[in-house]
């Protein structure tokens, strides 16, 4: 796990000092070693920078940038099956000088080109310079575990694991993307491929970008898409056969994530996903695995459940009850580590459990994606029930009801009922085939009336995953699962975990994101996942290792009472960041309406309190990076 950055500069104004400064901003991602190399062509200079967290081959042989023949690479992430690939390459005549996975990627690219990506099991972003062909290839893993930003403007191409590296380059123009601000206020994050700055993007997961230095242009290619697997017919397989295969895939995925030359631990919440990881792993180990849990005296506290699970399984368990002040002290640091405005408040406990784990290990397994793969979220039931209700409305009444709902939207005040009428109006005005993804989008976006009152500018339509073609999908639940996997999981959950773990130089690994698992699960009959209970097949596997009575309890989230804090101890943050003077200076939001939202929030009358947290996080980010 590392941080990477660099440039392709056609004005030859970038030097080692600039590259060194860019790399230094990524020190938290890789404090063990730094590397900066400059390569020159007849038309541009290319810089490759690397900040290393040593995980595999701790010696200097793992230093990056790494070179082989005409190729040079910087890599962030891990290729878990690198030993098998190294053996295959040795049989083809390749000779290796290290025990690192980076060298394997270098040789694999030399042997197979971009088709080598299909052989990789792992999480990765790598940049490969071919000085002979004058091409630079940028590759991002299938699920988007590892981040990659790029900027292209005025003869300068920048890339980095985190946006903060761009601020160290004098050629970077930090012009705010107004459309990105709109999307952030909808989702609580800026969805890929968009970015909070103009001329800046995120490389989408499952894609690679090929930059031609001579032509001064690039082409983006998709090499993997989860939607392709949800469009396939369901497997003709019995439930017991499926359960055996899922367990086999889980075991393989979990074991691969234990490959390391440094200590490894597991985040344990006590839920089904993290319990699956630790119970399956521990059942095949004689030594006690290390597990970590953060507890709170307020909010949703899962620590007692995690402790029971750890005691039953027999792990080396560490729990720490966090004081309110410790959690609150994380909040001012969020804009620095997240680079873009980011409004998932569970980033706070994630940062705290990362800090706890880092005292004992350098790698920690996190159990994210179980809900997206095995249909665990409660809103899937709400989604299917709402679709069933909509389906009962006769088609010839759709336009009439849509117009009536639109009228009520204009008459009602800005509240939850207004939002429901707005959603109903838009849903019944579109083609029936587009209703599932439109309904899914409505669960996340801000009410139109709220937007109209809040913003000082109009949004230009930009395509998101909700606008993709789902016409070939076999059912609505598959649309929901594929959409969450491509949007919420990537842009929220994985971003949250990557930045939180890397803030303390901890490598976070996501075993549920093994592509072999999701490819198989996507083709399972829905009844295996969403049967008499949600996540049915995963739960039945867990019951093989842990008694049902230890697990069978209501689902809770990983959250803290941040809204209560904002009304009490942290009210000063609202006063500092959301007062009329500060809001007016940005020119983005209506100061009068922001004050109204703040008053309604304090009085308990704001129907969607997440708006306040989104505004607060945006303003704190703005003050740090733009002001």
């Amino acid at each position: 796990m590392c941080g990477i950055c660099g440039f392709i500069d056609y004005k030859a104004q970038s030097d080692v000092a600039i590259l060194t400064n860019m790399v230094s901003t990524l020190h938290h991602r890789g404090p063990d070693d730094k590397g900066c190399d400059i390569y020159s062509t007849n038309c541009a200079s290319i810089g490759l920078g690397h900040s290393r967290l040593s995980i595999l081959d701790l010696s200097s042989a793992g230093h990056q940038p790494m070179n082989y023949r005409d190729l040079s690479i910087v890599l962030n992430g891990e290729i878990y099956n690198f030993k098998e690939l190294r053996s295959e390459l040795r049989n083809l005549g390749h000779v290796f000088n290290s025990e690192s996975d980076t060298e394997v990627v270098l040789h694999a690219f030399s042997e197979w080109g971009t088709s080598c990506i299909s052989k990789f099991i792992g999480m990765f972003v790598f940049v490969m310079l071919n000085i002979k062909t004058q091409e630079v290839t940028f590759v991002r893993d299938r699920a988007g575990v590892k981040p990659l930003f790029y900027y292209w403007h005025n003869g300068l191409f920048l890339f980095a694991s985190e946006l903060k590296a761009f601020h160290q380059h004098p050629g970077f123009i930090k012009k705010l993307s107004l459309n990105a601000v709109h999307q952030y206020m909808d989702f609580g994050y800026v969805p890929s491929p968009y970015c909070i700055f103009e001329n800046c993007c995120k490389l989408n997961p499952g894609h690679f970008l090929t930059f031609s230095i001579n032509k001064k242009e690039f082409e983006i290619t998709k090499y993997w898409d989860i939607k392709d697997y949800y469009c396939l017919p369901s497997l003709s397989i019995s439930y017991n056969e499926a359960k055996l295969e899922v367990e086999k895939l889980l075991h393989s995925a979990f074991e691969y994530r234990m490959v390391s030359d440094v200590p490894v631990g597991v985040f344990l919440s006590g839920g089904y996903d993290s319990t699956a990881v630790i119970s399956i792993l521990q059942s095949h180990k004689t030594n006690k695995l290390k597990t970590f849990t953060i507890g709170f005296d307020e909010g949703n506290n899962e620590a007692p459940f995690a402790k029971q699970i750890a005691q039953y399984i027999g792990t080396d368990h560490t729990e720490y009850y966090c004081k309110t002040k410790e959690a609150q002290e994380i909040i001012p640091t969020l804009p620095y580590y997240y680079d873009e405005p980011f409004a998932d408040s569970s980033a706070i406990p994630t940062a705290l459990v990362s800090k706890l784990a880092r005292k004992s290990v350098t790698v920690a397994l996190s159990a994210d994606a179980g809900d997206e793969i095995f249909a665990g979220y409660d809103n899937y039931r709400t989604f299917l029930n709402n679709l069933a209700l909509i389906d009962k409305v006769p088609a010839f009444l759709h336009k009439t009801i849509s117009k009536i709902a639109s009228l009520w939207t204009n008459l009602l005040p800005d509240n939850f009922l207004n939002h429901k009428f707005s959603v109903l109006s838009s849903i019944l005005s579109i083609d029936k085939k587009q209703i599932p993804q439109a309904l899914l989008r409505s669960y996340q976006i801000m009410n139109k009336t709220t937007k109209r009152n809040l913003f000082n500018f109009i949004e230009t339509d930009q395509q998101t995953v909700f606008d993709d073609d789902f016409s070939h999908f076999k059912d609505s639940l598959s649309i929901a699962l594929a959409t969450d996997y491509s949007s919420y999981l990537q842009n929220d959950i994985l971003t949250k975990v990557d930045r939180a773990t890397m803030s303390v130089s901890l490598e976070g690994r996501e075993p549920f994101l093994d592509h072999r698992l999701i490819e198989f699960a996507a083709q399972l009959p829905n009844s295996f996942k969403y049967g008499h209970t949600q996540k049915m097949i995963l739960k039945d596997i867990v019951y093989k290792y842990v008694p049902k009575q230890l697990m069978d309890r209501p689902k809770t989230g990983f959250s803290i009472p941040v809204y209560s804090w904002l009304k009490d101890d942290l009210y000063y943050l609202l006063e500092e960041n959301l007062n009329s003077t500060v809001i007016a200076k940005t020119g983005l939001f209506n100061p009068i309406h922001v004050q109204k939202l703040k008053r309604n929030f304090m009085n308990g009358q704001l129907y969607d309190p997440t708006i306040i947290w989104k505004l607060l996080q945006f303003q704190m980010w703005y003050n740090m990076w733009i002001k």
Side-chain angles (χ1 to χ4, degrees):
M1 188 70 67
C2 308
I4 62 174
C5 62
F7 55 77
I8 302 171
D9 184 0
Y10 286 95
K11 294 184 177 181
Q13 294 177 345
S14 306
D15 55 22
V16 173
I18 290 174
L19 185 58
T20 300
N21 289 338
M22 293 176 69
V23 171
S24 68
T25 66
L26 305 176
H27 179 77
H28 55 284
R29 297 188 72 93
D32 299 327
D33 187 25
K34 301 289 187 293
C36 295
D37 286 346
I38 305 289
Y39 308 81
S40 297
T41 72
N42 57 0
C43 59
S45 60
I46 302 99
L48 299 181
H50 189 261
S51 185
R52 184 186 182 196
L53 178 63
S54 301
I55 303 294
L56 297 170
D57 190 344
L58 310 185
S59 73
S60 59
H63 176 80
Q64 297 183 46
M66 190 177 289
N67 306 298
Y68 174 67
R69 294 180 178 173
D70 297 317
L71 300 176
S72 301
I73 187 176
V74 285
L75 177 141
N76 170 30
E78 306 290 351
I79 309 299
Y80 302 117
N81 62 332
F82 78 99
K83 290 182 180 179
E84 295 98 302
L85 293 174
R86 186 172 60 195
S87 295
E88 184 177 354
L89 288 162
R90 276 175 173 159
N91 291 335
L92 294 172
H94 289 259
V95 178
F96 293 88
N97 300 312
S98 75
E99 296 296 316
S100 77
D101 56 341
T102 304
E103 190 178 14
V104 171
V105 175
L106 196 56
H107 284 250
F109 195 93
S110 173
E111 183 68 34
W112 298 302
T114 53
S115 63
C116 70
I117 306 167
S118 64
K119 294 176 175 285
F120 297 159
I121 298 173
M123 55 176 186
F124 50 85
V125 162
F126 66 85
V127 179
M128 188 77 69
L129 166 64
N130 188 325
I131 200 70
K132 183 177 181 180
T133 63
Q134 301 282 283
E135 287 185 338
V136 187
T137 305
F138 302 80
V139 184
R140 192 176 183 196
D141 62 56
R142 299 170 182 87
V145 181
K146 294 292 99 190
L148 183 67
F149 294 88
Y150 65 91
Y151 171 85
W152 176 227
H153 182 63
N154 198 25
L156 178 66
F157 187 95
L158 300 174
F159 67 90
S161 300
E162 297 183 12
L163 273 177
K164 56 179 60 68
F166 292 175
H167 293 266
Q168 296 299 315
H169 198 291
F172 175 58
I173 301 173
K174 52 181 181 180
K175 182 181 178 182
L176 201 65
S177 167
L178 299 183
N179 282 332
V181 177
H182 260 280
Q183 293 197 65
Y184 162 73
M185 289 303 296
D186 271 339
F187 304 113
Y189 53 78
V190 180
S192 177
Y194 306 110
C195 180
I196 196 63
F197 293 115
E198 294 281 358
N199 305 310
C200 190
C201 293
K202 306 179 188 81
L203 183 62
N204 270 329
H207 287 67
F208 63 83
L209 182 155
T210 306
F211 194 105
S212 171
I213 297 172
N214 291 331
K215 295 179 181 178
K216 298 184 180 181
E217 62 185 27
F218 62 82
E219 179 180 4
I220 296 177
T221 304
K222 179 173 70 176
Y223 70 86
W224 187 89
D225 191 339
I226 187 54
K227 292 190 288 292
D228 294 338
Y229 296 90
Y230 276 108
C231 289
L232 296 174
S234 295
L235 295 170
S236 179
I237 189 173
S238 72
Y239 183 72
N240 284 333
E241 289 173 329
K243 191 167 65 170
L244 287 171
E245 183 61 24
V246 169
E247 185 177 358
K248 178 182 174 183
L249 286 168
L250 289 173
H251 179 232
S252 175
F254 298 168
E255 285 292 350
Y256 264 132
R257 272 77 186 168
M258 295 297 291
V259 174
S260 173
D261 293 333
V262 293
V264 181
V266 180
F267 292 153
L268 179 62
S269 69
Y272 282 95
D273 302 336
S274 62
T275 299
V277 174
I278 192 59
S279 62
I280 291 175
L281 279 173
Q282 189 64 77
S283 69
H284 294 82
K285 307 287 184 185
T286 54
N287 60 305
K288 288 187 175 185
L289 297 177
K290 294 181 179 295
T291 52
F292 303 91
T293 301
I294 284 285
F296 297 93
D297 291 323
E298 47 186 337
N300 292 333
N301 183 26
E302 296 182 312
F305 305 124
K307 186 174 183 179
Q308 289 178 353
I309 299 299
Q311 288 175 340
Y312 181 84
I313 295 172
T315 68
D316 179 5
H317 188 59
T318 301
E319 72 171 14
Y320 177 73
Y321 271 77
C322 181
K323 297 178 178 61
T324 297
K325 185 179 180 182
E326 292 176 88
Q328 292 173 348
E329 288 173 348
I330 294 291
I331 295 174
T333 71
L334 295 178
Y336 178 79
Y337 288 111
Y338 282 84
D339 279 331
E340 289 187 304
F342 185 75
D344 187 340
S345 60
S346 65
I348 300 168
T350 306
L352 290 167
V353 75
S354 298
K355 185 177 180 181
L356 174 68
R358 188 62 178 92
K359 295 177 181 178
S360 305
V361 299
T362 313
V363 176
L365 275 59
S366 181
D368 301 300
D371 288 316
E372 288 82 0
I373 295 173
F374 296 110
Y377 289 128
D378 291 336
N379 64 4
Y380 294 141
R381 191 173 302 280
T382 303
F383 167 67
L384 294 175
N385 289 340
N386 286 341
L387 280 180
L389 289 173
I390 293 169
D391 199 45
K392 291 179 180 180
V393 179
F396 71 90
L397 289 177
H398 278 205
K399 287 187 177 180
T400 301
I401 297 175
S402 176
K403 290 179 180 178
I404 295 172
S406 179
L407 179 63
W408 277 106
T409 300
N410 294 325
L411 294 174
L412 288 168
D414 183 6
N415 56 26
F416 184 66
L417 188 59
N418 179 298
H419 184 56
K420 294 188 80 170
F421 275 114
S422 176
V423 170
L424 182 63
S425 174
S426 61
I427 291 292
L428 294 181
S429 67
I430 61 177
D431 184 89
K432 185 177 181 180
K433 292 181 180 179
Q434 297 175 316
I435 287 177
Q437 58 261 44
L439 185 59
L440 288 168
R441 183 186 179 94
S442 73
Y443 296 149
Q444 299 191 42
I445 63 173
M446 184 181 290
N447 184 18
K448 289 181 180 178
T449 303
T450 306
K451 269 195 166 186
R452 188 167 56 246
N453 293 331
L454 178 62
F455 285 99
N456 286 336
F457 59 95
I458 299 174
E459 177 186 21
T460 303
D461 287 338
Q462 286 187 290
Q463 190 174 23
T464 65
V465 67
F466 300 99
D467 302 305
D468 290 351
D469 181 10
F470 292 94
S471 60
H472 300 298
F473 275 55
K474 50 185 177 281
D475 55 73
S476 296
L477 180 59
S478 294
I479 293 175
L481 292 171
T483 301
D484 274 347
Y485 193 93
S486 303
S487 58
Y488 176 68
L489 174 67
Q490 176 223 150
N491 293 296
D492 188 303
I493 302 298
L494 297 183
T495 299
K496 174 186 69 178
V497 176
D498 174 78
R499 306 306 192 277
T501 54
M502 288 276 76
S503 72
V504 292
S505 306
L506 177 73
E507 174 168 293
R509 294 181 175 180
E510 308 279 357
F512 276 100
L513 287 173
D514 192 300
H515 69 280
R516 299 168 301 160
L517 177 62
I518 182 59
E519 289 172 2
F520 181 76
Q523 299 173 68
L524 289 176
N526 281 338
S527 59
F528 291 5
K529 296 171 280 190
Y530 191 82
H532 60 81
T533 182
Q534 291 164 259
K535 283 202 285 198
M536 185 171 73
I537 195 167
L538 181 65
K539 288 180 178 179
D540 285 345
I541 291 170
V542 170
Y543 295 150
K544 177 179 174 182
Y545 299 90
V546 179
K548 184 176 181 180
Q549 57 267 29
L550 274 183
M551 301 299 304
D552 202 6
R553 60 182 182 274
K555 181 181 177 66
T556 59
F558 194 22
S559 63
I560 53 178
V562 67
Y563 298 112
S564 298
W565 294 348
L566 290 177
K567 293 178 180 179
D568 191 8
D569 294 352
L570 300 184
Y571 179 69
Y572 75 93
L573 289 176
L574 299 185
E575 285 293 284
E576 287 179 1
N577 295 280
L578 299 186
N579 65 69
S580 294
T581 303
V582 170
I583 295 297
K585 283 183 179 179
T586 68
L588 300 171
F589 308 114
N590 181 341
I592 296 175
H593 192 67
V594 171
Q595 300 317 302
K596 179 182 177 181
L597 291 172
K598 191 167 70 171
R599 285 195 302 271
N600 289 344
F601 170 72
M602 294 302 296
N603 295 331
Q605 297 175 344
L606 187 60
Y607 79 96
D608 182 10
T610 64
I611 295 172
I612 288 294
W613 183 250
K614 288 176 183 177
L615 283 169
L616 176 62
Q617 287 304 303
F618 179 84
Q619 287 299 138
M620 291 177 70
W621 172 86
Y622 188 94
N623 291 340
M624 177 171 289
W625 295 109
I626 301 295
K627 189 176 178 180

